[in-house]
Amino acid sequence: MPTLLENRIADLLEPYLAGGPELAADLIPRMSRYLDLLMLWNAKTNLTAIREPAQLVQRQLGESLFAARFLPATGTLLDFGSGGGFPGIPLQLAFPDLRVTLAESQGKKAGFLREATRSLALNAEVWSSRVESMPSDRSFDIVAMRAVDQAAAMLPIAQERVAHTGQLLRYLPASEETHLGEWDLTQEAQVPLSQGRIALWKRA
């Protein structure tokens, strides 16, 4: 028995998808399988503090997918501090041709990400170490940060991984300033049903 019926998941995701780009035709059934995996693993591993399935769909999956309207459907994306796979796995499900790297140094969470990529047959890599340990020449078209521990300290490390023509994507609380040194703000939007925002920057 699925955690939530697919039509219920579709209804919960609608505010985040409305007016956005065309996404993968099989997005909802695959999101359903992802949700089931999250609920199963979250019972034994703290992937997210959210336990109620509908809230999980909205707060994690929906907010992750909302960023799709600002991103290319191809290229490379680094999910910095992926945790339970947010936003990297929903974005990979939305854009199958996007090459996603899920970076997570905590062993149990990295184990979940490996199981999720296997079970969902994702074209995604799990980097189960710190981003600083990646080869120095690795860079990405998009570097995404969402609910990263010690975000201020991690931000310079994330910026170093943004390709010359790439963008940095962050999920921000309402009160956080969008000024980012020598970087230009290219997009900013309120996340539906939330006080949080999505913002993207490129190198000045």
Side-chain angles (χ1 to χ4, degrees):
M1 182 72 180
T3 304
L4 289 177
L5 295 177
E6 289 182 14
N7 60 354
R8 175 61 173 153
I9 293 173
D11 288 344
L12 290 167
L13 291 178
E14 176 60 24
Y16 307 93
L17 302 182
E22 184 174 347
L23 306 179
D26 61 352
L27 176 63
I28 299 302
R30 297 187 79 194
M31 287 293 251
S32 176
R33 293 198 293 274
Y34 178 36
L35 176 64
D36 292 344
L37 273 175
L38 280 168
M39 294 298 296
L40 179 65
W41 277 68
N42 211 34
K44 55 184 179 180
T45 302
N46 187 29
L47 298 172
T48 171
I50 300 172
R51 305 290 174 173
E52 202 279 316
Q55 284 193 11
L56 188 53
V57 171
Q58 292 177 305
R59 295 278 304 282
Q60 303 288 32
L61 310 189
E63 291 187 12
S64 295
L65 284 173
F66 182 66
R69 68 192 59 227
F70 306 115
L71 303 181
T74 60
T76 57
L77 181 143
L78 172 64
D79 183 1
F80 189 115
S82 186
F86 321 119
I89 290 180
L91 291 172
Q92 176 75 92
L93 293 173
F95 293 137
D97 293 330
L98 189 65
R99 299 190 304 281
V100 173
T101 297
L102 307 164
E104 176 53 60
S105 60
Q106 293 187 29
K108 290 183 179 180
K109 292 179 180 179
F112 166 75
L113 294 175
R114 282 191 288 267
E115 174 62 17
T117 56
R118 185 195 65 79
S119 298
L120 297 168
L122 296 178
N123 179 31
E125 168 197 14
V126 177
W127 182 265
S128 55
S129 186
R130 299 182 69 85
V131 170
E132 304 95 297
S133 66
M134 285 182 173
S136 59
D137 61 347
R138 284 203 69 179
S139 62
F140 301 83
D141 300 314
I142 302 291
V143 175
M145 298 182 73
R146 186 177 192 275
V148 175
D149 291 337
Q150 300 178 321
M154 295 296 104
L155 185 55
I157 299 168
Q159 288 172 288
E160 289 179 1
R161 296 295 171 173
V162 179
H164 181 67
T165 58
Q167 294 189 88
L168 175 70
L169 164 68
R170 293 190 66 199
Y171 290 75
L172 301 173
S175 59
E176 187 160 339
E177 175 60 54
T178 56
H179 177 71
L180 194 59
E182 298 301 314
W183 292 62
D184 290 335
L185 183 69
T186 60
Q187 296 279 358
E188 183 179 5
Q190 187 80 25
V191 177
L193 308 178
S194 169
Q195 294 185 347
R197 296 167 295 150
I198 281 178
L200 289 100
W201 295 263
K202 66 179 181 179
R203 299 178 189 277

